[in-house]
Amino acid sequence: QVQLVESGGGLVQVGGSLTLSCVVSGRVLRFRPMAWYRQAPGKERELVALITSAGMNTMYADSVRGRFNISRDNAKNMVFLQMNGLEPEDTAVYYCNERPPMNFWGRGTLVTVSS
């Protein structure tokens, strides 16, 4: 059974930083592109960042480019999202998943940015 477990969220002030982690069990990650998504209150889930299977290439949404950094550790089946310069608009529940996503999601981790 595949499980996605996100962690690392919390309450942070504007301009602060957080690092999110995602552990995937039941599935070998090293052949799969992975991504972080987020869903803000009242909005659709959106793609935030993508990393290719070997980690050689990344892609970011315009809203986070230059502030966020996605990385992965295939040996540990983990994906990370380093978030700097956080803004109130980054407040959301953050999820990791494959790209394209599997047909289920983890519980996510809540990031709240206070102004």
Side-chain angles (χ1 to χ4, degrees):
Q1 182 178 358
V2 181
Q3 288 188 314
L4 302 160
V5 180
E6 301 92 349
S7 63
L11 175 63
V12 64
Q13 292 187 333
V14 170
S17 298
L18 284 173
T19 298
L20 307 184
S21 300
C22 171
V23 179
V24 182
S25 58
R27 197 169 179 94
V28 177
L29 283 190
R30 66 178 183 270
F31 302 120
R32 306 181 190 277
M34 293 295 296
W36 283 94
Y37 305 78
R38 70 185 180 187
Q39 187 166 19
K43 295 189 177 181
E44 296 287 323
R45 187 175 288 153
E46 63 174 348
L47 176 67
V48 174
L50 165 71
I51 186 166
T52 53
S53 56
M56 298 297 290
N57 294 292
T58 57
M59 183 277 290
Y60 299 92
D62 289 344
S63 59
V64 307
R65 188 176 295 114
R67 300 187 296 121
F68 289 13
N69 182 64
I70 186 171
S71 60
R72 64 192 295 162
D73 185 336
N74 286 341
K76 296 181 178 179
N77 250 29
M78 294 185 70
V79 186
F80 306 95
L81 186 68
Q82 172 69 42
M83 306 186 295
N84 301 313
L86 284 162
E87 303 169 351
E89 293 74 22
D90 297 317
T91 294
V93 179
Y94 285 72
Y95 303 87
C96 71
N97 208 319
E98 296 182 1
R99 182 65 180 174
M102 295 181 281
N103 60 2
F104 63 90
W105 297 82
R107 297 181 65 178
T109 186
L110 176 63
V111 173
T112 304
V113 184
S114 65
S115 57

